[in-house]
Amino acid sequence: MLKKITTAASVIALCALTACGSGSGGAGNSTGSSGDTITMGFAQVGAESGWRTANTKSIQDEAKAAGIDLKFSDAQQKQENQIKAIRNYIQQKVDVIAFSPVVETGWDTVLLEAKRANIPVILTDRAIDSDDTSLYKTFLGSDFVEEGRKAGDWMVANATGPTNVVELQGTTGAAPAIDRKKGFEEKIASKPDIKIVASQTGDFTRSGGKQVMEAFLKSQPKIDVVYAHNDDMGLGAIEAIKAAGKVPGKDIKIITVDAVKDGMTALANGEINFIVECNPLLGKQLMELTKKVVKGEQVPPRVVTEEGTFTQEQAKAALPQRQY
Ligand code: GYE
């Protein structure tokens, strides 16, 4: 009881110091002369994949189009760098902080600091695992479990007899790695013939996918399918499979997630067999949500990106218009 009262008192004291309750409509923004230019601090994961490159471009282009002053940082896939960037944005008194959390856990402390500074936070692309939903206003991004399910559905529909799958996981602890694994496993659970015989992280990079696949090819006597949590790792696996004298897409089938241009090209060429789409073009929706949040308007707590899947024929048809 006593502890609760002390905590409440210190929150009030902190509010007095940091002017809680103000801060909408560009408060604390030193760039907008009339105070209505929104300043956004964006803490990006890194530049690990084709998906990420497209996502970064979308955010930068759409911030410009929306007249939002964007401060951008690249955390090189390290949580401590993202936390540092967020603290920096708090110090600079930006109007809004948006970020794509590299991993799910460990954000409560820094997000509480943002909350106490009265700076709203928007999660984009990846989610956090926290019981305190007051730490962010909304989460815009894909349903990664659903993506895993779509990959699993294809696997179940296309398995002919006993099937050994090796899994190239995304970054350990990242929402898309956890959820894409979960959704896939859920779907293949009904088919005891389909087994994940090895599963390891390739950190969402091409080189990571290649390295892990090389090791799998040495340690696993029979590999029928690669399930890669993104295109880049699948493309790395293709290199490893070719180097081992096997034919990707035929001797070993490949399922990936993302549908970026390089992945779609490999699918059209028959080296990848199926891709689950994950849309990186989140910039426009992010800027729209930002404007509402800064004005203090109500926004839905979760905005899910719409996406589909691609077979070889569909990839061939979609490639000429593919933007990323
Ligand atoms: O699938 C992968 C990237 O978080 C959805 O991160 C994103 C994932 C994407 O590195 O390519």
Coordinates of all heavy atoms in Angstrom, one line a residue, residues 233-296:
M233 N 17.1 -15.2 -46.5 CA 17.7 -16.4 -46.0 C 17.5 -17.6 -47.0 O 18.3 -18.4 -47.2 CB 17.2 -16.8 -44.6 CG 17.6 -15.9 -43.5 SD 17.2 -16.5 -41.9 CE 15.4 -16.4 -41.9
G234 N 16.3 -17.5 -47.6 CA 16.0 -18.5 -48.7 C 17.0 -18.4 -49.8 O 17.5 -19.4 -50.4
L235 N 17.3 -17.1 -50.2 CA 18.3 -16.9 -51.3 C 19.7 -17.4 -50.9 O 20.4 -17.9 -51.7 CB 18.3 -15.4 -51.6 CG 17.0 -14.9 -52.3 CD1 16.9 -13.4 -52.3 CD2 16.8 -15.5 -53.7
G236 N 20.0 -17.2 -49.6 CA 21.3 -17.7 -49.1 C 21.3 -19.2 -49.2 O 22.3 -19.9 -49.6
A237 N 20.2 -19.8 -48.8 CA 20.1 -21.3 -48.9 C 20.3 -21.8 -50.3 O 20.9 -22.9 -50.5 CB 18.8 -21.8 -48.3
I238 N 19.7 -21.1 -51.3 CA 19.9 -21.5 -52.7 C 21.3 -21.6 -53.0 O 21.8 -22.6 -53.7 CB 19.1 -20.5 -53.6 CG1 17.6 -20.6 -53.4 CG2 19.5 -20.7 -55.1 CD1 16.8 -19.6 -54.2
E239 N 22.1 -20.6 -52.6 CA 23.6 -20.7 -52.9 C 24.2 -21.9 -52.3 O 25.0 -22.6 -52.9 CB 24.3 -19.4 -52.3 CG 23.9 -18.1 -53.1 CD 24.5 -16.9 -52.4 OE1 25.6 -17.1 -51.8 OE2 23.9 -15.9 -52.4
A240 N 23.8 -22.2 -51.0 CA 24.4 -23.4 -50.4 C 24.0 -24.7 -51.1 O 24.8 -25.6 -51.2 CB 24.0 -23.4 -48.9
I241 N 22.7 -24.8 -51.5 CA 22.2 -26.0 -52.1 C 23.0 -26.2 -53.4 O 23.4 -27.3 -53.8 CB 20.7 -25.9 -52.3 CG1 20.0 -25.9 -51.0 CG2 20.2 -27.0 -53.2 CD1 18.5 -25.5 -51.0
K242 N 23.1 -25.1 -54.2 CA 23.8 -25.2 -55.5 C 25.3 -25.7 -55.3 O 25.8 -26.6 -56.0 CB 23.8 -23.9 -56.2 CG 22.5 -23.6 -56.9 CD 22.6 -22.3 -57.6 CE 21.3 -21.9 -58.4 NZ 21.4 -20.5 -58.8
A243 N 25.9 -25.1 -54.3 CA 27.3 -25.4 -54.0 C 27.4 -26.9 -53.6 O 28.5 -27.5 -53.8 CB 27.9 -24.5 -52.9
A244 N 26.4 -27.4 -53.0 CA 26.4 -28.9 -52.6 C 26.0 -29.8 -53.8 O 25.9 -31.0 -53.6 CB 25.5 -29.1 -51.4
G245 N 25.8 -29.2 -55.0 CA 25.6 -30.0 -56.2 C 24.1 -30.4 -56.3 O 23.8 -31.3 -57.1
K246 N 23.2 -29.7 -55.6 CA 21.8 -30.1 -55.7 C 21.0 -28.9 -56.4 O 21.5 -27.8 -56.5 CB 21.2 -30.3 -54.3 CG 21.9 -31.5 -53.6 CD 21.1 -32.0 -52.5 CE 21.6 -33.4 -52.2 NZ 21.5 -33.8 -50.8
V247 N 19.8 -29.3 -56.8 CA 19.0 -28.3 -57.5 C 17.9 -27.7 -56.6 O 17.0 -28.4 -56.2 CB 18.4 -28.9 -58.8 CG1 17.6 -27.9 -59.6 CG2 19.4 -29.6 -59.6
P248 N 18.1 -26.4 -56.3 CA 17.0 -25.7 -55.5 C 15.7 -25.7 -56.2 O 15.7 -25.4 -57.4 CB 17.6 -24.3 -55.2 CG 18.6 -24.1 -56.3 CD 19.1 -25.4 -56.7
G249 N 14.6 -25.9 -55.5 CA 13.3 -25.9 -56.1 C 12.9 -27.3 -56.6 O 11.7 -27.5 -56.9
K250 N 13.9 -28.2 -56.8 CA 13.6 -29.5 -57.3 C 14.0 -30.6 -56.3 O 13.2 -31.2 -55.7 CB 14.3 -29.7 -58.7 CG 13.7 -28.8 -59.8 CD 13.8 -29.5 -61.1 CE 12.9 -28.7 -62.1 NZ 13.4 -27.3 -62.3
D251 N 15.4 -30.7 -56.1 CA 15.9 -31.7 -55.2 C 15.4 -31.3 -53.8 O 15.1 -32.1 -52.9 CB 17.4 -31.7 -55.2 CG 17.9 -32.2 -56.5 OD1 17.2 -32.9 -57.2 OD2 19.1 -31.9 -56.9
I252 N 15.5 -30.0 -53.5 CA 15.1 -29.5 -52.2 C 14.1 -28.3 -52.5 O 14.5 -27.3 -53.2 CB 16.3 -29.0 -51.4 CG1 17.2 -30.1 -51.1 CG2 15.8 -28.3 -50.1 CD1 18.5 -29.8 -50.3
K253 N 12.9 -28.4 -52.0 CA 11.9 -27.4 -52.2 C 12.1 -26.2 -51.2 O 12.6 -26.5 -50.1 CB 10.5 -27.9 -52.0 CG 10.2 -29.1 -53.0 CD 9.3 -28.6 -54.1 CE 8.7 -29.7 -54.9 NZ 9.6 -30.6 -55.6
I254 N 11.7 -25.0 -51.6 CA 11.9 -23.9 -50.7 C 10.7 -23.0 -50.5 O 10.0 -22.6 -51.5 CB 13.1 -23.0 -51.2 CG1 14.4 -23.8 -51.4 CG2 13.4 -21.8 -50.3 CD1 15.6 -23.1 -51.9
I255 N 10.4 -22.8 -49.3 CA 9.2 -21.9 -48.9 C 9.9 -20.7 -48.2 O 10.7 -20.8 -47.3 CB 8.2 -22.5 -47.9 CG1 7.8 -23.9 -48.4 CG2 7.0 -21.6 -47.7 CD1 7.1 -24.7 -47.3
T256 N 9.5 -19.5 -48.6 CA 10.0 -18.3 -47.9 C 8.8 -17.3 -47.6 O 7.7 -17.5 -48.0 CB 11.0 -17.5 -48.7 OG1 10.4 -17.0 -49.9 CG2 12.2 -18.4 -49.1
V257 N 9.2 -16.2 -46.9 CA 8.2 -15.2 -46.5 C 8.8 -13.8 -47.0 O 10.0 -13.6 -46.8 CB 7.9 -15.1 -45.0 CG1 6.8 -14.1 -44.7 CG2 7.6 -16.5 -44.5
D258 N 8.0 -12.9 -47.4 CA 8.3 -11.5 -47.8 C 7.8 -11.2 -49.2 O 7.0 -10.3 -49.3 CB 9.8 -11.2 -47.8 CG 10.3 -10.8 -46.3 OD1 9.5 -10.7 -45.4 OD2 11.5 -10.6 -46.2
A259 N 8.3 -11.8 -50.2 CA 8.0 -11.5 -51.6 C 8.6 -10.2 -52.1 O 7.9 -9.4 -52.7 CB 6.4 -11.5 -51.8
V260 N 9.9 -10.0 -51.8 CA 10.6 -8.9 -52.4 C 11.1 -9.3 -53.8 O 11.0 -10.5 -54.1 CB 11.8 -8.5 -51.5 CG1 11.4 -7.9 -50.2 CG2 12.8 -9.6 -51.3
K261 N 11.6 -8.4 -54.5 CA 11.9 -8.6 -56.0 C 12.8 -9.8 -56.2 O 12.5 -10.7 -57.0 CB 12.5 -7.4 -56.6 CG 11.8 -7.1 -57.9 CD 12.4 -5.8 -58.5 CE 11.3 -5.1 -59.3 NZ 11.6 -3.7 -59.5
D262 N 13.9 -9.9 -55.4 CA 14.8 -11.0 -55.6 C 14.2 -12.4 -55.3 O 14.5 -13.3 -55.9 CB 16.1 -10.8 -54.7 CG 17.0 -9.7 -55.2 OD1 16.7 -9.1 -56.3 OD2 18.0 -9.4 -54.5
G263 N 13.4 -12.4 -54.2 CA 12.7 -13.6 -53.9 C 11.7 -14.0 -55.0 O 11.6 -15.1 -55.4
M264 N 11.0 -13.0 -55.5 CA 10.0 -13.3 -56.5 C 10.6 -13.7 -57.8 O 10.1 -14.5 -58.6 CB 9.2 -12.0 -56.8 CG 8.3 -11.6 -55.6 SD 6.8 -12.6 -55.5 CE 5.7 -11.7 -56.6
T265 N 11.8 -13.2 -58.1 CA 12.6 -13.6 -59.3 C 13.0 -15.1 -59.2 O 12.8 -15.9 -60.1 CB 13.8 -12.7 -59.5 OG1 13.4 -11.4 -59.5 CG2 14.6 -13.0 -60.8
A266 N 13.5 -15.5 -58.0 CA 13.8 -16.9 -57.8 C 12.6 -17.8 -57.8 O 12.7 -18.9 -58.3 CB 14.5 -17.0 -56.4
L267 N 11.5 -17.3 -57.4 CA 10.2 -18.0 -57.5 C 9.8 -18.2 -58.9 O 9.5 -19.3 -59.4 CB 9.1 -17.3 -56.7 CG 7.7 -17.9 -56.7 CD1 7.7 -19.4 -56.2 CD2 6.7 -17.1 -55.8
A268 N 9.9 -17.1 -59.7 CA 9.5 -17.2 -61.1 C 10.5 -18.2 -61.9 O 10.1 -18.8 -62.8 CB 9.6 -15.8 -61.8
N269 N 11.7 -18.2 -61.4 CA 12.7 -19.1 -62.1 C 12.6 -20.6 -61.6 O 13.4 -21.4 -62.0 CB 14.2 -18.7 -61.8 CG 14.5 -17.3 -62.4 OD1 13.8 -16.9 -63.4 ND2 15.5 -16.6 -61.9
G270 N 11.8 -20.8 -60.6 CA 11.6 -22.2 -60.1 C 12.6 -22.6 -59.0 O 12.6 -23.7 -58.6
E271 N 13.4 -21.6 -58.5 CA 14.3 -22.0 -57.5 C 13.7 -21.9 -56.1 O 14.2 -22.5 -55.1 CB 15.6 -21.1 -57.5 CG 16.3 -21.4 -58.8 CD 17.7 -20.6 -58.9 OE1 17.8 -19.5 -58.4 OE2 18.6 -21.2 -59.6
I272 N 12.7 -21.1 -55.9 CA 11.8 -21.1 -54.7 C 10.5 -21.6 -55.2 O 10.1 -21.4 -56.4 CB 11.7 -19.6 -54.2 CG1 13.1 -19.2 -53.5 CG2 10.6 -19.6 -53.1 CD1 13.1 -17.7 -53.0
N273 N 9.8 -22.3 -54.3 CA 8.5 -22.9 -54.7 C 7.3 -22.2 -54.3 O 6.2 -22.3 -54.9 CB 8.5 -24.3 -54.2 CG 9.7 -25.1 -54.7 OD1 10.7 -25.0 -54.1 ND2 9.5 -25.9 -55.8
F274 N 7.4 -21.4 -53.2 CA 6.2 -20.7 -52.7 C 6.6 -19.6 -51.8 O 7.6 -19.7 -51.0 CB 5.3 -21.7 -51.9 CG 4.0 -21.2 -51.4 CD1 3.0 -20.8 -52.3 CD2 3.7 -21.0 -50.1 CE1 1.8 -20.4 -51.9 CE2 2.5 -20.5 -49.6 CZ 1.5 -20.2 -50.6
I275 N 6.0 -18.4 -51.9 CA 6.3 -17.3 -51.0 C 5.0 -16.7 -50.4 O 4.0 -16.5 -51.1 CB 7.0 -16.1 -51.8 CG1 8.3 -16.6 -52.5 CG2 7.4 -15.0 -50.8 CD1 9.2 -15.5 -53.1
V276 N 5.1 -16.5 -49.1 CA 4.1 -15.8 -48.3 C 4.4 -14.4 -48.3 O 5.5 -14.0 -48.0 CB 4.0 -16.4 -46.9 CG1 2.9 -15.7 -46.1 CG2 3.7 -17.9 -46.9
E277 N 3.4 -13.5 -48.7 CA 3.7 -12.1 -48.8 C 3.8 -11.4 -47.4 O 2.9 -11.8 -46.5 CB 2.6 -11.4 -49.6 CG 2.9 -9.9 -49.8 CD 1.8 -9.2 -50.5 OE1 0.7 -9.7 -50.5 OE2 2.1 -8.2 -51.2
C278 N 4.7 -10.5 -47.2 CA 4.8 -9.7 -46.0 C 5.0 -8.3 -46.6 O 6.1 -8.0 -47.2 CB 5.8 -10.1 -45.1 SG 5.9 -9.0 -43.6
N279 N 4.1 -7.4 -46.4 CA 4.2 -6.1 -47.1 C 5.0 -5.1 -46.3 O 4.7 -4.7 -45.1 CB 2.7 -5.5 -47.2 CG 2.7 -4.3 -48.1 OD1 3.8 -3.7 -48.5 ND2 1.5 -3.8 -48.4
P280 N 6.1 -4.6 -46.9 CA 7.0 -3.6 -46.1 C 6.5 -2.2 -46.3 O 7.1 -1.3 -45.6 CB 8.3 -3.8 -46.8 CG 8.0 -4.2 -48.2 CD 6.7 -5.0 -48.2
L281 N 5.6 -1.9 -47.2 CA 5.2 -0.5 -47.5 C 4.2 0.1 -46.4 O 3.1 0.3 -46.7 CB 4.6 -0.4 -48.9 CG 5.5 -1.0 -50.0 CD1 4.8 -0.8 -51.4 CD2 6.9 -0.4 -50.0
L282 N 4.8 0.3 -45.2 CA 4.0 0.7 -44.1 C 4.0 2.2 -43.9 O 3.3 2.8 -43.0 CB 4.5 0.0 -42.8 CG 4.5 -1.5 -42.8 CD1 5.1 -2.0 -41.5 CD2 3.1 -2.1 -43.0
G283 N 4.8 2.9 -44.7 CA 5.0 4.3 -44.5 C 3.8 5.2 -44.5 O 3.6 6.0 -43.6
K284 N 2.9 5.0 -45.5 CA 1.8 5.9 -45.6 C 0.8 5.7 -44.4 O 0.4 6.8 -43.8 CB 1.0 5.5 -46.9 CG 0.0 6.5 -47.4 CD -0.3 6.3 -48.8 CE -1.0 7.6 -49.4 NZ -2.4 7.6 -49.2
Q285 N 0.5 4.5 -44.1 CA -0.4 4.3 -42.9 C 0.3 4.8 -41.6 O -0.4 5.3 -40.8 CB -0.7 2.8 -42.8 CG -1.8 2.3 -43.6 CD -2.0 0.8 -43.5 OE1 -1.0 0.1 -43.9 NE2 -3.1 0.3 -43.1
L286 N 1.6 4.6 -41.5 CA 2.3 5.1 -40.3 C 2.1 6.6 -40.2 O 1.9 7.1 -39.1 CB 3.7 4.7 -40.4 CG 4.6 5.2 -39.2 CD1 4.1 4.7 -37.9 CD2 6.1 4.9 -39.4
M287 N 2.3 7.3 -41.3 CA 2.2 8.8 -41.2 C 0.7 9.2 -40.9 O 0.5 10.2 -40.1 CB 2.7 9.5 -42.5 CG 4.1 9.1 -42.8 SD 5.3 9.3 -41.5 CE 6.5 8.1 -41.9
E288 N -0.2 8.5 -41.4 CA -1.6 8.8 -41.1 C -1.9 8.6 -39.6 O -2.6 9.5 -39.0 CB -2.6 8.0 -42.0 CG -2.7 8.5 -43.4 CD -3.2 7.4 -44.4 OE1 -3.7 6.4 -43.9 OE2 -3.1 7.6 -45.6
L289 N -1.5 7.5 -39.1 CA -1.7 7.2 -37.7 C -1.0 8.3 -36.8 O -1.5 8.7 -35.8 CB -1.2 5.8 -37.4 CG -2.0 4.6 -37.8 CD1 -1.2 3.3 -37.8 CD2 -3.3 4.5 -37.0
T290 N 0.2 8.6 -37.3 CA 1.0 9.6 -36.5 C 0.3 10.9 -36.4 O 0.2 11.5 -35.3 CB 2.4 9.9 -37.2 OG1 3.1 8.6 -37.2 CG2 3.2 11.0 -36.6
K291 N -0.3 11.4 -37.5 CA -1.0 12.7 -37.4 C -2.1 12.6 -36.4 O -2.4 13.5 -35.6 CB -1.5 13.1 -38.8 CG -0.4 13.5 -39.7 CD -0.9 14.0 -41.0 CE 0.2 14.5 -41.9 NZ -0.2 14.8 -43.3
K292 N -2.9 11.5 -36.4 CA -4.0 11.3 -35.5 C -3.5 11.3 -34.0 O -4.1 11.9 -33.2 CB -4.8 10.1 -35.8 CG -5.6 10.2 -37.1 CD -6.5 9.0 -37.3 CE -7.3 9.2 -38.6 NZ -7.8 8.0 -39.1
V293 N -2.5 10.5 -33.8 CA -2.0 10.3 -32.5 C -1.5 11.6 -31.9 O -1.8 12.0 -30.8 CB -0.8 9.2 -32.5 CG1 0.0 9.3 -31.2 CG2 -1.4 7.8 -32.6
V294 N -0.8 12.4 -32.7 CA -0.2 13.7 -32.2 C -1.4 14.7 -31.9 O -1.3 15.5 -31.0 CB 0.8 14.3 -33.2 CG1 1.2 15.7 -32.9 CG2 2.0 13.4 -33.3
K295 N -2.5 14.6 -32.7 CA -3.6 15.4 -32.4 C -4.4 15.0 -31.2 O -5.4 15.6 -30.8 CB -4.6 15.4 -33.6 CG -4.2 16.4 -34.7 CD -5.3 16.5 -35.7 CE -4.8 16.9 -37.1 NZ -5.6 16.2 -38.2
G296 N -4.0 13.8 -30.7 CA -4.8 13.3 -29.6 C -6.0 12.5 -30.0 O -6.9 12.2 -29.1

